[in-house]
Amino acid sequence: MEKTDFIPYGRQYIDEDDLTAVRSVLESDFLTQGPSIEAFESKICEITGARYCVAVSNATAGLHIAVAALGLKPGEEGITTPITFVASSNCLAYNRLIPRFADINDHTYCIDPQKIEENITNKTKVIIPVDFAGQAADMKKIKDIADHYGLKIIEDAAHAIGSTYPEGIPVGSCTYSDMTVFSFHPVKTITTGEGGAITTNDHDLFTKLRLLRSHGITRESNQMTENPGPWYYEMQDLGFNYRLTDIQAALGISQLNKLSFFKRRRREIVNKYNTHFSSVLNLKIPFEAPGHDSCFHLYVLQMEFEKINRTRKDVMYELRELGIGTQVHYIPITHQPYYMTTFGTKKGTFVAAEHYYERTISLPLHPGLTDGQVDRVIQNITRICTK
Ligand SMILES: *Cc1c(COP(=O)(O)O)cnc(C)c1O
């Protein structure tokens, strides 16, 4: 096997249109703070149906300012899932809020609305559901809970651009959330290198997010307390430099032009995996809940490692030797040393999340995979599980 034959679990898909788009920005007047940013934001609004969009330097930055925009008080609480990337809860800690966790649903691996409700206290102010692997969380139920208790919702849709729920409503429309955050890291569905975006239908949140993205500074005369001249700007809040560049935004637009192709190809691969793996012992394929149409970011299998007489480590090393990259999504955040020491989380608290974590393995899934590569993955996984 040659080195070039290695199949990573995730990879960007870049074509000539992407190269042309980036080149034309490099040859233009603006590398940042130029016209490509708004064009990218408009395109995201068009795709999601949201009224407003704020492009940011990455989804972590987006989550940080989305929480900040809510203006909560230190010590107040937010609830998210333990089965996600650490950024989903770190955004609460950045804002001096307390991250709390609620267990996942056994089938979808998304946060369980009932468990959210059980963990609500009088300090709870925000819920951060994650659209795990691309499939939207149970947003309708979560919105009912949020409305009932007067909570805000920030949907972490880092995995889910191009997905719909329910019945064709695009993730990011903010029908069931106050803000939705996307990631454009290279392993995600579309990429800008690093990058992210927040959508919202709330004009006040939109204004606040724009302010926080760029140092808390405004130059818009209708937002300033005075306007003595053309040099003048006002810093009205403690913001950040979380801007995306025009180079990245142009890449984002040309990537979005391929979103339906990306979705179709990811779906084809998922169907192929499902068809083969559904009849293999000791494997559980991803569950798709009714009303959901996932633009799959991850292909997550549950594997009964004990029953196939291997550890997960053995399986991952064996596959690596065969040129197949795999990953684990995710180690429960509540197991992370920082969370255990700072927020007192403990191993053994979340039964469904731990059961899931012990068995999970993510297989290669990206639009550039060839049918031959997909077959190679299928053959090797099947062999490992049946011998
Ligand atoms: C990737 C990811 C993030 C962070 O995205 P970045 O753009 O890398 O900052 C946040 N949440 C989830 C669920 C992710 O998978």
Side-chain angles (χ1 to χ4, degrees):
M1 186 194 65
E2 298 187 22
K3 263 250 153 33
T4 53
D5 230 19
F6 187 80
I7 310 169
Y9 91 87
R11 192 183 199 282
Q12 71 276 13
Y13 182 101
I14 299 291
D15 67 9
E16 280 299 322
D17 289 341
D18 296 321
L19 299 178
T20 306
V22 168
R23 184 178 180 102
S24 72
V25 172
L26 290 172
E27 290 169 343
S28 78
D29 292 332
F30 295 98
L31 301 188
T32 190
Q33 295 177 282
S36 298
I37 301 297
E38 274 188 35
F40 183 42
E41 291 169 340
S42 300
K43 181 117 190 147
I44 292 169
C45 287
E46 206 179 286
I47 283 168
T48 59
R51 219 164 289 155
Y52 310 106
C53 175
V54 179
V56 286
S57 47
N58 54 72
T60 305
L63 287 163
H64 181 179
I65 62 174
V67 174
L70 297 175
L72 304 177
K73 294 191 211 61
E76 291 184 323
E77 299 176 2
I79 298 176
T80 189
T81 165
I83 300 296
T84 180
F85 186 56
V86 293
S88 306
S89 56
N90 284 351
C91 58
L92 294 163
Y94 296 154
N95 286 286
R96 298 175 178 275
L97 304 171
I98 314 285
R100 299 288 183 208
F101 297 89
D103 208 351
I104 59 169
N105 175 287
D106 277 322
H107 303 288
T108 64
Y109 317 138
C110 285
I111 196 166
D112 181 340
Q114 197 187 317
K115 303 287 180 183
I116 294 176
E117 201 162 4
E118 289 169 16
N119 282 282
I120 291 172
T121 71
N122 57 8
K123 288 187 183 163
T124 308
K125 300 293 165 187
V126 58
I127 306 169
I128 308 182
V130 177
D131 301 329
F132 185 76
Q135 178 160 261
D138 197 347
M139 294 304 297
K140 264 176 149 173
K141 278 197 195 144
I142 294 170
K143 172 90 164 95
D144 286 345
I145 292 168
D147 288 347
H148 187 261
Y149 292 91
L151 313 178
K152 298 291 184 187
I153 299 175
I154 299 170
E155 185 175 352
D156 182 342
H159 298 182
I161 196 154
S163 297
T164 65
Y165 167 81
E167 310 306 341
I169 298 178
V171 165
S173 71
C174 294
T175 308
Y176 302 99
S177 66
D178 295 281
M179 290 171 273
T180 301
V181 181
F182 294 110
S183 171
F184 310 130
H185 182 277
V187 297
K188 307 291 164 76
T189 306
I190 69 152
T191 192
T192 59
E194 296 280 356
I198 311 157
T199 57
T200 184
N201 294 326
D202 182 319
H203 191 266
D204 290 342
L205 287 175
F206 172 61
T207 308
K208 190 92 188 194
L209 290 169
R210 295 241 295 196
L211 208 58
L212 291 170
R213 170 176 68 177
S214 204
H215 310 284
I217 285 174
T218 183
R219 291 173 186 277
E220 305 208 9
S221 52
N222 62 349
Q223 287 168 21
M224 299 193 297
T225 56
E226 56 177 317
N227 191 5
W231 72 88
Y232 191 71
Y233 57 80
E234 276 184 3
M235 181 183 144
Q236 299 179 333
D237 204 338
L238 184 61
F240 307 90
N241 180 352
Y242 282 170
R243 293 187 303 260
L244 195 71
T245 67
D246 280 57
I247 308 165
Q248 294 168 299
L251 177 57
I253 294 167
S254 102
Q255 287 270 301
L256 282 176
N257 288 336
K258 290 184 274 286
L259 183 58
S260 55
F261 157 66
F262 288 163
K263 183 172 181 175
R264 204 175 341 115
R265 181 61 187 149
R266 284 174 175 271
R267 163 58 66 179
E268 271 173 15
I269 297 165
V270 167
N271 286 350
K272 217 166 166 194
Y273 280 155
N274 283 344
T275 302
H276 286 82
F277 296 145
S278 55
S279 57
V280 175
L281 278 181
N282 303 317
L283 284 185
K284 185 176 150 197
I285 64 170
F287 171 76
E288 293 183 58
H292 290 253
D293 180 20
S294 173
C295 180
F296 278 84
H297 159 54
L298 298 173
Y299 188 83
V300 167
L301 272 180
Q302 291 273 283
M303 206 181 265
E304 298 293 338
F305 294 103
E306 274 180 27
K307 295 192 183 149
I308 60 171
N309 291 314
R310 285 172 170 80
T311 64
R312 175 163 51 195
K313 190 162 117 183
D314 295 337
V315 171
M316 290 180 79
Y317 279 133
E318 184 173 344
L319 289 168
R320 171 161 285 275
E321 283 301 303
L322 294 158
I324 297 168
T326 55
Q327 244 318 341
V328 169
H329 298 95
Y330 293 90
I331 306 153
I333 298 180
T334 45
H335 291 195
Q336 295 294 351
Y338 177 81
Y339 276 83
M340 295 201 285
T341 55
T342 311
F343 298 112
T345 60
K346 290 184 181 70
K347 293 184 181 177
T349 312
F350 298 108
V351 177
E354 313 232 350
H355 184 274
Y356 164 83
Y357 168 58
E358 291 305 322
R359 290 163 180 77
T360 197
I361 187 164
S362 303
L363 302 189
L365 179 62
H366 43 98
L369 285 177
T370 64
D371 288 341
Q373 289 176 320
V374 175
D375 289 339
R376 217 168 95 205
V377 176
I378 290 171
Q379 281 158 16
N380 284 296
I381 292 286
T382 308
R383 182 182 48 74
I384 285 172
C385 290
T386 46
K387 89 172 174 202

